[in-house]
Amino acid sequence: MAVLFDKQNPFLHTALIEGVIFDNDGTLYHEPENAPEYHTQAAVSAVKTQLSYRSIQEIEYLMGQSRKQYGGALDIFEHEYGLDMLRLRRDHYHNLVELTRETTYFEGADTPERGLSTLKSAGVNLYIATHGNEEWTDYSLESNRLSHLFSAAHDNVIHKDDVPGHHGKNQSPAMYAALLDKIGVPDTELPWERGVNYAMVEDTVANLKQAKALGMMTVLIDESGKVDPATLPDYVDIVIRDRNDIASVILVNNYLHHEEDLLQEHGPNWSLGGEEGLLPAHLSGHHKD
């Protein structure tokens, strides 16, 4: 059962977190309420480029059917109409860039720049796993002034286009596995142990299931405050209301693991938060039950 983030009763994952993987849209920034309208318009235009005889209404209907049947809005056009998926995705996101350029799309983005910078300063690596393509990811990171926190060479980013069969995060663990491959995380005999030193942060519940299948800590962003953690599936570990709280979630977990290591090394009288002052100021006052 998921728990709501609470600084006084922190969540303890099974291992130290070495890297945090972020979804992009809706996670690294707050999307405007009309974001689905932009995406739909961009996608419909992309489909019409290859399927011109279909009306906008027909394409929108088929996109809805595609989400239900395949898990993605464009998959039906590849599987049942033989369209070029890479071209569809390229055109979709290029259209989206053009539609949102010089608009208020990224106003009020509420990015977690402070939290990301804190994690990076603490030696925790940052990654992105996104259904968006490279053009849209670059554009949105630049628009949100987050580009400096991620590699310009995309060493720490995986896109849906990079995954064989372009499987989404809600369909299989392929995207997460591809990212772990890319950053050099070795295979393990037990699949659920491979991602144990990583956390996945998402705004979509279904996208966390496959991350948990690889052993990751799973974090759901619920900025609306409407999600009841008790109703969430077991593959969601923790719910946060503020994007910047992810830094506290990760750092407290890691300090607790360091404390366990020190207790084993130095004995029961050792205290990480004691006179030695090893806990940073923003974590002082934390206690365990």
Side-chain angles (χ1 to χ4, degrees), residues 44-64:
V44 168
S45 297
V47 173
K48 280 193 73 67
T49 301
Q50 298 186 57
L51 208 62
S52 59
Y53 65 89
R54 290 286 189 176
S55 70
I56 291 175
Q57 291 75 18
E58 287 176 315
I59 292 172
E60 289 183 352
Y61 171 78
L62 289 170
M63 286 169 58

Side-chain angles (χ1 to χ4, degrees), residues 43-253:
V44 168
S45 297
V47 173
K48 280 193 73 67
T49 301
Q50 298 186 57
L51 208 62
S52 59
Y53 65 89
R54 290 286 189 176
S55 70
I56 291 175
Q57 291 75 18
E58 287 176 315
I59 292 172
E60 289 183 352
Y61 171 78
L62 289 170
M63 286 169 58
Q65 294 299 108
S66 183
R67 292 188 188 96
K68 294 176 184 177
Q69 186 171 347
Y70 297 104
L74 297 177
D75 297 70
I76 196 170
F77 301 104
E78 177 188 34
H79 296 302
E80 299 184 23
Y81 291 86
L83 303 193
D84 182 338
M85 176 58 85
L86 290 180
R87 181 182 170 190
L88 279 175
R89 287 179 48 76
R90 181 198 67 199
D91 291 348
H92 171 203
Y93 285 104
H94 180 73
N95 292 343
L96 190 59
V97 168
E98 295 305 313
L99 285 171
T100 58
R101 197 184 297 279
E102 298 182 4
T103 71
T104 59
Y105 190 89
F106 293 104
E107 284 189 9
D110 186 31
T111 68
E113 182 179 10
R114 174 172 53 84
L116 296 181
S117 298
T118 299
L119 287 171
K120 201 162 187 178
S121 297
V124 178
N125 296 316
L126 307 179
Y127 306 97
I128 294 174
T130 175
H131 286 171
N133 75 347
E134 185 172 327
E135 180 183 11
W136 174 254
T137 304
D138 282 348
Y139 167 73
S140 57
L141 287 175
E142 182 179 351
S143 298
N144 290 320
R145 295 180 289 279
L146 295 176
S147 298
H148 64 287
L149 294 165
F150 297 94
S151 165
H154 295 273
D155 296 335
N156 47 19
V157 180
I158 199 79
H159 308 91
K160 193 174 180 179
D161 296 328
D162 303 324
V163 182
H166 40 261
H167 292 293
K169 290 175 283 185
N170 59 333
Q171 297 170 308
S172 81
M175 184 181 292
Y176 299 121
L179 178 60
L180 295 177
D181 289 342
K182 189 174 186 178
I183 63 180
V185 178
D187 280 325
T188 54
E189 184 176 350
L190 301 175
W192 55 88
E193 293 181 350
R194 191 181 187 201
V196 72
N197 294 117
Y198 295 83
M200 181 65 209
V201 185
E202 262 281 356
D203 67 317
T204 303
V205 174
N207 290 348
L208 291 172
K209 183 176 182 178
Q210 303 298 339
K212 178 53 65 179
L214 293 176
M216 296 181 186
M217 176 197 283
T218 52
V219 182
L220 178 71
I221 291 180
D222 170 41
E223 59 184 339
S224 71
K226 296 178 180 179
V227 173
D228 178 0
T231 66
L232 293 173
D234 289 343
Y235 56 77
V236 180
D237 290 326
I238 188 165
V239 177
I240 59 175
R241 309 296 196 199
D242 184 331
R243 288 176 175 81
N244 277 296
D245 281 341
I246 185 58
S248 295
V249 170
I250 301 303
L251 294 179
V252 170
N253 173 78

Side-chain angles (χ1 to χ4, degrees), residues 270-289:
W270 178 269
S271 173
L272 188 61
E275 295 180 354
E276 294 79 6
L278 296 180
L279 271 178
H282 68 285
L283 297 180
S284 63
H286 144 74
H287 70 272
K288 292 188 294 183
D289 289 337

